Amino acid sequence: MTDLIHTEKELVQSLRDYIKAEESKLAAVKSWANKLDALTRVSTSDPEGYLAHPVNAYKLMKRLNTEWSELETLVLQNPSDGMHANALLTVDDCFDMGKTGYNDADYYHAVLWMQQALKQLDGGEESVASKADILDYLSYSVYQMGDLPRAIELTRRLVATTPGHQRAGGNLRYFERILTKQLSEQDQDQQPASEEPILLGTYQRPKDHLPERETYEALCRGEGLQMNDARRSRLFCRLQDGRRNPRLLLRPMKEEDEWDSPHIVRYLEVLSHEETEKIKELAKPRLARATVRDPKTGLLTTANYRVSKSAWLEEVDDPVIVRVNQRIEDITGLEVDTAELLQVANYGVGGQYEPHYDFSRRPFDSNLKHDGNRLATFLNYMSDVEAGGATVFPDLGAAIWPRKGTAVFWFNLFRSGEGDYRTRHAACPVLVGSKWVSNKWIHERGQEFRRPCGLTEEE
């Protein structure tokens, strides 16, 4: 019985420890709730503006996918001081990005994210991920990039940080053995590992499915543009009345040359603010993941190289669609009765469409039997984009930046009916903001007298 008295005393102490733990957990939950309360006040005051910043969008997805469902492993952070203070990537954010790249065997980007996580950790930032965790992923990713000396140096740092690490010792011996063999076969002395930080450009990015990857991404960054002074001198602006179209005589369109050959033009003040908002309002309930046509099966499917949502609007949906279609016909002088419906697309943060052709390259495509191939593209910009989102033409070295209310137009086919392969273009990733566009693909049928065909591949 006396033993039971001492046991009861231990139970009371355990109960107090339990209460203390629960109070601590409750305090953590309250702190987390207060932080989220501050965040939601900012985010709900301007949802689109808040989500226009990619870090805010990323953190929202991260909270909803991990933190809400794992309250027992709350990662407490200081309450936000506002939108700008919140828009920072932590060590753990960078570490998670790196792990995503690692798990996808994208070691090139895994290295960059892990290096950034290590830099911030060494700078004194607190994190859940340990230095050993980061060095473990970083060293093996560097090895996969073919940099054995640096992989060995990083693994040695891992061993020094965590001597009993499960894999570090084995990896180090393996890396050293491979390097020794390579050096002996090449009769070379071992060069010390570079002590320079691993930055963009340290390693050559592996080739992938996109042959013009580097050109495409450079244009999206505003680099590699091919508009020299001689070419720019051939570009003009003018008032365009659609060959004396009655609806444009009193209010002609402002037309600017964007590129000389192939001829790409931009029209100003095509859509009013009220019209763009109405089109977005109509499209939002119908938006669905955009699809592409599988070149092998001919069927529509989703693809990683097209990340956006789209919807199709008909004239019966609202008078504004009737007006827009008529305006496109007036401006271009082309028949739109045989054109496709007005497609509205929204590219959120990270949204993109890698280089592609608007016209079909399959000569026996059953979808072209009735109205023919896509003769021309009329693209309305319905929002400004704070960063990213340009329309680029890799073969030309051209980049066209979104400007709300304007539209760009080009022909996809020569007068002979052959596809103009120079019109291969892409929608650059949206870095900050939300990009809204609407486009009209105009087909060949009905254009016999509006754009007569020719026997040669002339514009």
Side-chain angles (χ1 to χ4, degrees), residues 351-367:
Q352 62 158 351
Y353 193 176
E354 291 181 356
H356 61 282
Y357 302 99
D358 278 353
F359 64 89
S360 175
R361 293 173 293 155
R362 301 170 67 223
F364 304 108
D365 193 335
S366 60
N367 296 289

Side-chain angles (χ1 to χ4, degrees), residues 190-308:
Q190 180 174 346
Q191 299 296 321
S194 172
E195 296 183 1
E196 294 293 321
I198 303 173
L199 303 172
L200 188 68
T202 298
Y203 299 125
Q204 185 175 0
R205 185 171 180 173
K207 299 294 183 183
D208 62 7
H209 65 279
L210 198 60
E212 66 267 71
R213 169 72 64 187
E214 292 183 3
T215 302
Y216 157 54
E217 294 190 353
L219 289 172
C220 289
R221 294 192 298 268
E223 304 167 4
L225 302 176
Q226 299 300 312
M227 183 55 69
N228 54 36
D229 290 339
R231 181 163 248 158
R232 190 174 291 106
S233 68
R234 296 195 292 268
L235 305 183
F236 299 93
C237 59
R238 63 193 70 83
L239 294 176
Q240 204 257 71
D241 62 8
R243 297 179 183 177
R244 301 194 62 78
N245 185 293
R247 282 178 289 271
L248 295 180
L249 283 177
L250 296 179
R251 188 180 178 273
M253 294 302 303
K254 300 173 183 176
E255 181 183 85
E256 297 177 347
D257 292 330
E258 286 281 354
W259 202 258
D260 54 352
S261 181
H263 196 202
I264 303 172
V265 296
R266 186 196 294 264
Y267 297 105
L268 280 58
E269 301 175 8
V270 175
L271 296 179
S272 68
H273 172 74
E274 292 73 22
E275 287 172 328
T276 58
E277 292 306 303
K278 185 60 179 181
I279 292 171
K280 286 157 64 173
E281 177 189 327
L282 293 169
K284 282 180 179 179
R286 312 181 191 188
L287 289 174
R289 176 69 186 267
T291 58
V292 297
R293 194 169 296 280
D294 189 309
K296 295 181 179 179
T297 65
L299 300 177
L300 292 176
T301 182
T302 58
N304 291 333
Y305 57 83
R306 186 181 189 185
V307 182
S308 65

Side-chain angles (χ1 to χ4, degrees), residues 106-267:
D106 181 3
Y107 301 109
Y108 176 81
H109 287 103
V111 166
L112 296 175
W113 282 111
M114 289 299 173
Q115 175 67 47
Q116 183 62 29
L118 186 62
K119 177 183 177 182
Q120 292 181 210
L121 186 68
D122 288 342
E125 188 177 317
E126 295 183 359
S127 71
V128 174
S130 68
K131 190 167 187 175
D133 293 333
I134 298 171
L135 286 170
D136 189 17
Y137 280 98
L138 180 59
S139 60
Y140 193 78
S141 297
V142 165
Y143 160 68
Q144 289 290 344
M145 292 303 297
D147 190 349
L148 269 173
R150 199 191 299 254
I152 290 171
E153 186 267 335
L154 289 167
T155 308
R156 285 174 178 165
R157 288 172 61 185
L158 174 57
V159 172
T161 302
T162 312
H165 195 279
Q166 186 176 1
R167 291 179 300 279
N171 284 350
L172 181 59
R173 290 189 293 272
Y174 176 67
F175 295 159
E176 290 176 335
R177 194 161 55 245
I178 294 177
L179 183 60
T180 301
K181 182 179 178 181
Q182 289 181 356
L183 293 174
S184 63
E185 290 175 351
Q186 300 171 5
D187 193 24
Q188 294 179 357
D189 295 329
Q190 180 174 346
Q191 299 296 321
S194 172
E195 296 183 1
E196 294 293 321
I198 303 173
L199 303 172
L200 188 68
T202 298
Y203 299 125
Q204 185 175 0
R205 185 171 180 173
K207 299 294 183 183
D208 62 7
H209 65 279
L210 198 60
E212 66 267 71
R213 169 72 64 187
E214 292 183 3
T215 302
Y216 157 54
E217 294 190 353
L219 289 172
C220 289
R221 294 192 298 268
E223 304 167 4
L225 302 176
Q226 299 300 312
M227 183 55 69
N228 54 36
D229 290 339
R231 181 163 248 158
R232 190 174 291 106
S233 68
R234 296 195 292 268
L235 305 183
F236 299 93
C237 59
R238 63 193 70 83
L239 294 176
Q240 204 257 71
D241 62 8
R243 297 179 183 177
R244 301 194 62 78
N245 185 293
R247 282 178 289 271
L248 295 180
L249 283 177
L250 296 179
R251 188 180 178 273
M253 294 302 303
K254 300 173 183 176
E255 181 183 85
E256 297 177 347
D257 292 330
E258 286 281 354
W259 202 258
D260 54 352
S261 181
H263 196 202
I264 303 172
V265 296
R266 186 196 294 264
Y267 297 105

